[in-house]
Amino acid sequence: MKSAHLCLWLLVLSTVTELVSAFDPFSTAWSSIISNFFYKGCEDKLVAFNSSGLEDSLQTKLFGQHIASKIILKTVSGFMNNDNPKKPLVLSLHGSSGTGKNLVSSLIAENLYKEGMNSDFVHIFMSDIHFPHVSQVDTYKTQLQQWIKGNVSSCAQSMFIFDEMDKMHPGLIDSIRPYLEHYDKLDGISYRKAIFIFLSNAEGSSLTETALKFRNAGRKREEMELKDVEKLLLLSAFNNDNSGLWHTSLIEKNLVDFFVPFLPLEYSHVIECTMAAMKAQGLQLDIYIADKLATDMVYFPESEPVFSKQGCKTIGSRLHFYMEDV
């Protein structure tokens, strides 16, 4: 009889969850809470994190980002090797489209979860999709809090990725501030092992100007350090009303661990991306094709066209077009 009652209860919960999901895109938080009540957490779906694996991924898949690679490797490795972090890891990635921000998010996930970005514990928010209407910001704040609380309850090492921060409504991201603080627990839940990653294109032009200044001064790109751009990113994110972090308490309370710069990519980096794409797709490496593809890309600024307008974003889809000409 008890078994029959339990089956009936599970059926009711499942039905309610499905009904709510049909009307509320954030209702998966309820599913996570229910799942946590009846099933195991995420321990068996995590990988044994190895910093050398992340290092290898960054070296072979991310190009032209010496500052970002160093920050990501050290901060993520340090965080994952700390059994008792004082707060969640919060990274804010800045740069133009195609420079590697989404790629880095994927590399972190691949070295943390067995299913990588397909893991149930990786949660991606797109501003245009999940937060489209400014008139509903208060509703979004409540939903976002419920989502994070529900999923961290299910897996302490959940990852939350906020893409297109430059399109997020001002003030919305402040709703998650309590979960980024140095609290041991909040309403009985610890958020200290969670990872929050913000992706923004807003500061791309500022990074381009800095890269051009280094180039015109005769200095190598690799000489640029975090200190040369971090303050610029912080101030720009805080003062730009299109950054998603405009006047946010996350910056005022120093809850963002690093503002990570992704520099505009040059011709040589496009070549490296193309060769890596060939290898990933099982194609024969051909420097002639890589050169042809890289040369045909659009470069900017007009006065000194040295940076790829699209970065490496379209290389995967362009590659077979050039391979057909061989």
Side-chain angles (χ1 to χ4, degrees):
M1 180 66 78
K2 289 183 178 179
S3 177
H5 286 166
L6 179 57
C7 290
L8 179 59
W9 176 236
L10 286 173
L11 178 61
V12 171
L13 285 175
S14 176
T15 303
V16 170
T17 299
E18 291 178 2
L19 287 173
V20 174
S21 298
F23 296 96
D24 181 2
F26 282 87
S27 62
T28 307
W30 287 103
S31 299
S32 297
I33 294 173
I34 294 169
S35 176
N36 184 58
F37 185 80
F38 288 102
Y39 305 104
K40 284 183 63 178
C42 61
E43 291 81 5
D44 60 335
K45 294 187 178 181
L46 294 172
V47 299
F49 181 79
N50 187 340
S51 61
S52 62
L54 178 58
E55 182 177 16
D56 180 68
S57 296
L58 290 169
Q59 289 179 347
T60 58
K61 298 179 180 180
L62 181 68
F63 306 106
Q65 306 300 351
H66 65 285
I67 301 176
S69 292
K70 184 177 181 179
I71 296 173
I72 296 300
L73 179 60
K74 286 192 171 185
T75 55
V76 174
S77 297
F79 181 76
M80 291 305 303
N81 291 326
N82 184 354
D83 292 332
N84 187 30
K86 300 302 180 184
K87 63 180 290 296
L89 178 61
V90 183
L91 300 173
S92 189
L93 281 48
H94 300 262
S96 301
S97 177
T99 53
K101 301 184 300 298
N102 281 289
L103 173 61
V104 161
S105 301
S106 298
L107 297 182
I108 294 173
E110 288 171 7
N111 285 279
L112 181 57
Y113 306 101
K114 291 180 180 179
E115 297 177 352
M117 289 294 286
N118 292 322
S119 171
D120 292 336
F121 310 112
V122 176
H123 312 283
I124 302 175
F125 299 94
M126 300 284 291
S127 296
D128 284 350
I129 296 175
H130 295 105
F131 317 113
H133 308 296
V134 67
S135 61
Q136 296 184 29
V137 167
D138 288 340
T139 299
Y140 297 150
K141 288 181 179 180
T142 301
Q143 292 175 330
L144 192 51
Q145 290 173 341
Q146 292 174 343
W147 178 273
I148 292 174
K149 182 176 181 179
N151 283 288
V152 174
S153 297
S154 178
C155 180
Q157 290 183 319
S158 292
M159 179 186 296
F160 301 93
I161 301 171
F162 293 83
D163 200 358
E164 299 182 336
M165 282 293 294
D166 44 299
K167 297 179 181 179
M168 183 171 285
H169 304 302
L172 176 54
I173 201 64
D174 273 341
S175 65
I176 72 170
R177 180 190 58 76
Y179 309 121
L180 309 186
E181 289 275 11
H182 296 71
Y183 298 127
D184 182 26
K185 289 185 177 181
L186 195 62
D187 293 332
I189 301 172
S190 175
Y191 297 87
R192 291 185 171 191
K193 291 188 176 182
I195 297 176
F196 294 82
I197 302 178
F198 305 134
L199 312 180
S200 175
N201 297 333
E203 286 68 48
S205 58
S206 298
L207 289 170
T208 297
E209 291 178 10
T210 303
L212 276 177
K213 287 180 181 179
F214 264 73
R215 182 184 180 88
N216 293 335
R219 301 177 64 182
K220 294 182 179 179
R221 176 192 183 97
E222 291 71 24
E223 293 180 26
M224 195 180 305
E225 300 178 18
L226 178 61
K227 64 181 182 181
D228 296 312
V229 292
E230 187 173 35
K231 183 177 180 180
L232 176 150
L233 291 179
L234 188 155
L235 293 176
S236 179
F238 187 76
N239 294 315
N240 185 349
D241 58 4
N242 289 321
S243 75
L245 293 171
W246 179 70
H247 287 190
T248 177
S249 60
L250 274 60
I251 294 180
E252 290 180 326
K253 291 185 174 293
N254 299 310
L255 297 178
V256 178
D257 296 298
F258 278 98
F259 289 86
V260 187
F262 282 73
L263 305 174
L265 300 181
E266 301 177 12
Y267 165 84
S268 61
H269 305 128
V270 177
I271 290 286
E272 291 180 298
C273 289
T274 306
M275 298 296 281
M278 290 179 180
K279 183 177 180 180
Q281 296 182 29
L283 302 173
Q284 182 177 352
L285 301 184
D286 191 320
I287 188 63
Y288 171 79
I289 292 177
D291 172 71
K292 176 62 176 173
L293 188 154
T295 301
D296 287 351
M297 298 289 277
V298 178
Y299 292 85
F300 75 103
E302 290 187 7
S303 59
E304 194 175 358
V306 294
F307 301 124
S308 171
K309 188 76 173 178
Q310 298 163 301
C312 287
K313 198 161 192 175
T314 61
I315 287 177
S317 57
R318 284 171 170 256
L319 191 52
H320 283 281
F321 170 79
Y322 286 89
M323 297 295 291
E324 291 174 358
D325 293 338
V326 178

